Amino acid sequence: MKNYNAVKIVKRVIDLAMILLSVLLMGGITAFRNVTVHEWLGTALTVLWIFHNILNRNFYKSIFRGKYNGFRIIMVSVNLALIACAFLLAASGIILSNSVFVFLGIENGMAFARTAHLVASHWYYILIAFHFSLHAGVIFSCIPVLKNGSMVGKILRKLPLIISVYGIYAFAIRGFYKYLFYLQPFFFFDVERGVALFILDYFSIFVLVATVFYYIGNILKYFSKKSI
């Protein structure tokens, strides 16, 4: 039982670290004065992804087992799409590397790698928020204050909705949708708004996406149970 709890804690720490790194990395190389910082953070995220998949390897074993309802189809599809985006990000990042992986001497495919990195990073961000929403119920159930009827608990339960309102504004002002569909072939970092506001904006976008899909997931779960 102690080992199980230890693994559970490690999983949560890795998941949190991956989310934080994802937010920071969305700023691209312009968010840091030294390009190498972005590359090392990307490398750290890739390593955490490897550990994440090892710790959650039972997911792959369960893909061809059991029955599929609407919710499970979406969950598996999102997870597989997220894995594909993560792989594409890591591969394109290695090709574009000017520091950490420069020793590999990769010179071909730069143009494709830039496009892939830009588009995949933003779809990855949407999918990781979606992925988080699928497990949000389990994660939040471990927080005692959210389970009681206190005023603090009620406020915290409403907080994602409040942040999501700002997230809509941030999604529009940052032109997030442009990168998803390659309507803008380069990443624009608004220096005047600064790094702190960038992190706030992209964090709110994460909360927005996770909140929307959390409620959609609950609706799908409800209808999936009704159809059994």
Side-chain angles (χ1 to χ4, degrees), residues 33-185:
R33 292 184 179 181
N34 192 334
V35 176
T36 306
V37 175
H38 182 81
E39 293 189 18
W40 277 116
L41 290 178
T43 302
L45 180 59
T46 301
V47 172
L48 288 178
W49 255 108
I50 293 171
F51 280 111
H52 177 83
N53 278 279
I54 292 173
L55 291 172
N56 294 277
R57 58 188 177 279
N58 287 333
F59 163 73
Y60 300 99
K61 297 178 182 178
S62 66
I63 290 178
F64 300 104
R65 297 175 183 172
K67 295 181 179 179
Y68 275 79
N69 53 33
F71 178 77
R72 191 183 178 194
I73 291 172
I74 291 176
M75 183 183 72
V76 172
S77 298
V78 167
N79 288 344
L80 292 178
L82 182 54
I83 292 167
C85 278
F87 177 79
L88 189 57
L89 272 175
S92 59
I94 291 172
I95 294 172
L96 294 171
S97 176
N98 290 316
S99 178
V100 180
F101 297 101
V102 71
F103 67 92
L104 295 174
I106 301 175
E107 297 179 356
N108 296 324
M110 289 290 183
F112 171 77
R114 287 192 186 91
T115 301
H117 209 71
L118 178 65
V119 177
S121 62
H122 284 78
W123 276 109
Y124 163 85
Y125 199 70
I126 292 290
L127 291 170
I128 198 173
F130 196 164
H131 177 77
F132 176 83
S133 73
L134 296 174
H135 306 282
V138 176
I139 295 171
F140 292 145
S141 66
C142 300
I143 304 175
V145 71
L146 294 178
K147 293 188 290 184
N148 59 42
S150 67
M151 181 62 68
V152 175
K154 290 178 180 178
I155 293 173
L156 289 177
R157 285 196 293 272
K158 297 296 182 183
L159 192 57
L161 292 173
I162 297 171
I163 296 175
S164 294
V165 173
Y166 179 78
I168 296 172
Y169 165 78
F171 189 92
I173 199 69
R174 291 290 180 178
F176 198 97
Y177 63 94
K178 295 178 182 178
Y179 306 118
L180 291 173
F181 303 104
Y182 199 55
L183 299 176
Q184 183 168 303

